[in-house]
Amino acid sequence: MFLQPGAGTARWNRIIDAGRALTETEFFGREIAAWKGSPQRLAQLDGERYYRNDQDILRRRRMAIGADGELKEVRNLPNNKIIDNQYALRVDQKVNYLLGKPVSFSCESEPHLKLLRARFGPGFQRTLKYIGEDALNGGIAWLYVYYDAAGALAFRRFPGYEVLPFWADDDHTQLDAAARLYRQEVWEGTVKKTIERVELYKPEGIYRYLLEGSTLIPDGSAGEYAPYLTVAGEHGPEAYAWERFPLIPFKYNKQEIPLLARVRSLQDGINAILSDFENNTQEDARNTILVLKDFDGENLGEFRQNLAAYGAVKIRSDGGVDTLTVTVNPENYKVIVELFKKALIENARGFDAKDERLSGSPNQMNIRSMYSDIDLDANGMETEFKAAFEQLLWFVHQDAKTKGLGDFSADPVTVVFDRDILLNESEAIQNCSASVGILSEETILEQHPWTKDAKTELARLKQERQAQQADSYTGAFSQNGQSRPNP
């Protein structure tokens, strides 16, 4: 389970040897500084930002052609900033579709199953849902396995934009090291400031630093080094490390591409169209143009101000005011927004809950057709998450073995993601009834829409049948409450 601190992989040693002019700490500092502003990390931050409703439309400025022919910002025109966050809706849709229901486990050993249910209870299920959200926003999320102060195995999640991985292979399945960068507010005397902390996860343990520019400074306040595990020995505490890296990646897809990369332009387009529509429906110099005839006494700015303040215009006897009005057709904007929303749903590989295929009494084929895109995306995400669970289960098994709870490493585990999909319940129940005698009771119960736990339902059925048999047996040997005489 545990190893004493040792050397890294051959690939890692080659990377370090390639920069012999740098120390290992200098190497990490420069790598972190370069990654901090990299396009990959900025895309991860943008995914989180867009999900939280902080989108580019909020920084939009109204521009017009100036006297010199160049675009200049115009501050006296309406500048509405409308956000219709279809992106966040698709993230929530995917997370709840795949992880909305608790993940379940299947294995042969009942004590093993009991252990898994205890380790992955409601608290972990909530953490897993947050990890799914982070993976969609950042392309990848991380789960850190550690022992808490009470000595219990615990899990902690890190979003993708906090972790710089140093992979041991090109497929990004094994780690040599990882650096976590995060900000923290601290007080220096009476002044509050924000500092950047770095945690370096290496095979032998965690090293803590402060990041200043591209320089890593040992963090004496938090302790520069901390082992993954400390065990009391004859001569005091002894540091140990896991045989495997306790930082597990949960990927959205193989390329670790955030969902926002697929739909950002469409989300920005929806926001721009809605904002332009509100701008154009308000009276301004673009949709109501005043034509002054033989008017004098004020400049145009004063004229506009007086008109807005008093609602009246003084004109000479032979003067006048006409208007040229630009008509705004709402249908044009409606068509464009609907096209953008449909394209966003398709590119995000989601589904439209208002799809016309759901009108009336849709059959299961129509429902499955509507879910086809999100099903394909969920299949890929489920594959990545199952691979992550395989790594995670190793730590759970090793912990159980060390604590004397049993050795379950040879008992295979199937991780089941119960997807939250609409069902035509009547049709599903009819199919279950028609399968009696063809399939086992357990298989039929697993497919029944009202079943939450097939094994529990089987146990209940068995108890009910035994009770019915007992009642039938008692009735056969009693009459009006009196026992029949023996023959």
Side-chain angles (χ1 to χ4, degrees):
M1 174 183 177
F2 299 109
L3 294 175
Q4 291 285 358
T9 65
R11 174 173 175 155
W12 175 248
N13 292 331
R14 288 197 302 270
I15 293 175
I16 297 299
D17 289 342
R20 292 175 182 172
L22 299 174
T23 65
E24 187 176 279
T25 304
E26 291 173 337
F27 165 79
F28 277 117
R30 297 194 180 195
E31 286 287 326
I32 295 169
W35 165 75
K36 188 170 73 169
S38 66
Q40 178 185 1
R41 183 170 182 266
L42 293 179
Q44 293 175 330
L45 289 168
D46 285 345
E48 180 74 14
R49 180 168 61 85
Y50 265 61
Y51 182 78
R52 295 180 182 276
N53 249 37
D54 181 9
Q55 302 189 6
D56 287 350
I57 191 69
L58 298 178
R59 284 162 282 281
R60 186 187 190 190
R61 300 183 298 165
R62 288 293 300 272
M63 309 297 289
I65 299 176
D68 56 358
E70 300 292 333
L71 283 176
K72 294 184 178 180
E73 183 177 5
V74 181
R75 299 181 181 274
N76 62 344
L77 295 179
N79 186 18
N80 294 285
K81 302 170 183 178
I82 309 299
I83 296 177
D84 181 6
N85 203 341
Q86 292 292 313
Y87 166 73
L89 177 60
R90 301 308 143 199
V91 171
D92 291 341
Q93 192 178 74
K94 287 177 178 291
V95 170
N96 286 285
Y97 178 72
L98 186 63
L99 304 172
K101 293 183 178 180
V103 174
S104 57
F105 304 89
S106 176
C107 57
E108 295 295 330
S109 170
E110 190 63 31
H112 188 191
L113 185 60
K114 185 177 179 181
L115 170 72
L116 296 178
R117 287 175 176 173
R119 284 286 184 266
F120 303 119
F124 176 83
Q125 300 288 352
R126 180 182 60 185
T127 300
L128 182 62
K129 191 174 180 181
Y130 294 163
I131 287 175
E133 180 184 304
D134 290 338
L136 286 162
N137 286 329
I140 188 172
W142 300 86
L143 186 70
Y144 173 53
V145 184
Y146 68 103
Y147 282 102
D148 61 17
L153 194 69
F155 311 105
R156 185 179 179 186
R157 70 179 181 91
F158 299 142
Y161 58 81
E162 284 191 359
V163 178
L164 169 61
F166 295 87
W167 298 103
D169 62 333
D170 293 330
D171 289 333
H172 292 188
T173 60
Q174 298 178 1
L175 285 170
D176 273 325
R180 179 185 175 225
L181 172 67
Y182 64 100
R183 292 185 175 184
Q184 190 175 52
E185 291 184 342
V186 297
W187 287 91
E188 289 189 358
T190 58
V191 179
K192 190 176 185 180
K193 61 180 294 187
T194 301
I195 61 174
E196 291 183 315
R197 294 188 183 275
V198 171
E199 294 175 348
L200 281 182
Y201 293 82
K202 299 172 66 176
E204 64 271 19
I206 306 173
Y207 294 83
R208 297 187 176 93
Y209 299 91
L210 299 177
L211 180 65
E212 294 186 3
S214 61
T215 303
L216 291 178
I217 302 172
D219 187 0
S221 62
E224 182 181 351
Y225 168 74
Y228 294 121
L229 180 68
T230 301
V231 178
E234 296 181 359
H235 304 288
E238 296 181 357
Y240 283 83
W242 294 96
E243 291 180 6
R244 300 189 183 184
F245 218 90
L247 201 58
I248 302 172
F250 283 75
K251 301 180 182 180
Y252 170 40
N253 50 50
K254 177 183 179 296
Q255 294 77 17
E256 303 164 21
I257 299 175
L259 177 62
L260 183 64
R262 297 179 182 171
V263 299
R264 182 169 186 165
S265 60
L266 294 167
Q267 177 63 68
D268 289 342
I270 292 172
N271 294 341
I273 289 295
L274 293 175
S275 301
D276 287 344
F277 175 68
E278 186 167 358
N279 288 342
N280 292 341
T281 54
Q282 296 177 356
E283 183 179 4
D284 59 42
R286 294 187 314 138
N287 28 21
T288 301
I289 303 173
L290 301 179
V291 181
L292 306 182
K293 300 179 180 178
D294 199 15
F295 186 84
D296 57 9
E298 294 178 346
N299 61 37
L300 293 179
E302 292 174 342
F303 169 79
R304 276 290 189 184
Q305 182 178 356
N306 291 333
L307 179 62
Y310 303 109
V313 180
K314 292 176 61 179
I315 60 174
R316 297 171 57 182
S317 59
D318 54 349
V321 180
D322 293 334
T323 62
L324 297 178
T325 303
V326 178
T327 303
V328 177
N329 187 353
E331 289 300 318
N332 294 338
Y333 292 88
K334 182 180 178 181
V335 169
I336 296 174
V337 168
E338 287 178 352
L339 287 173
F340 277 8
K341 284 186 178 181
K342 183 177 180 180
L344 189 147
I345 292 171
E346 291 179 351
N347 281 270
R349 298 173 190 171
F351 68 88
D352 185 2
K354 302 180 181 65
D355 195 296
E356 60 184 10
R357 286 171 288 185
L358 291 179
S359 59
S361 298
N363 58 37
Q364 202 61 34
M365 291 299 294
N366 287 339
I367 295 175
R368 289 192 177 277
S369 174
M370 187 189 71
Y371 277 90
S372 60
D373 286 344
I374 195 171
D375 243 349
L376 288 173
D377 213 28
N379 287 340
M381 190 172 178
E382 181 177 321
T383 299
E384 297 292 343
F385 274 42
K386 282 186 175 180
F389 262 102
E390 184 179 3
Q391 298 181 47
L392 179 58
L393 287 169
W394 182 87
F395 291 94
V396 173
H397 291 157
Q398 296 301 319
D399 174 68
K401 184 178 179 180
T402 302
K403 293 179 178 177
L405 301 177
D407 185 0
F408 304 108
S409 56
D411 185 20
V413 179
T414 301
V415 183
V416 181
F417 291 84
D418 189 7
R419 301 183 185 182
D420 191 9
I421 187 172
L422 289 175
L423 287 174
N424 185 322
E425 288 192 352
S426 299
E427 185 177 339
I429 292 172
Q430 289 175 4
N431 291 336
C432 289
S433 300
S435 301
V436 174
I438 302 174
L439 300 175
S440 67
E441 279 191 331
E442 185 173 359
T443 300
I444 293 173
L445 284 172
E446 287 175 347
Q447 300 302 319
H448 199 286
W450 296 350
T451 301
K452 294 183 178 179
D453 189 324
K455 293 186 182 296
T456 302
E457 290 299 326
L458 280 174
R460 290 172 179 171
L461 280 172
K462 184 177 180 180
Q463 290 176 356
E464 289 179 0
R465 287 169 183 167
Q466 290 175 346
Q468 291 172 358
Q469 289 176 357
D471 291 342
S472 174
Y473 182 84
T474 302
F477 291 93
S478 63
Q479 185 177 13
N480 298 326
Q482 301 295 323
S483 297
R484 293 182 178 179
N486 292 328

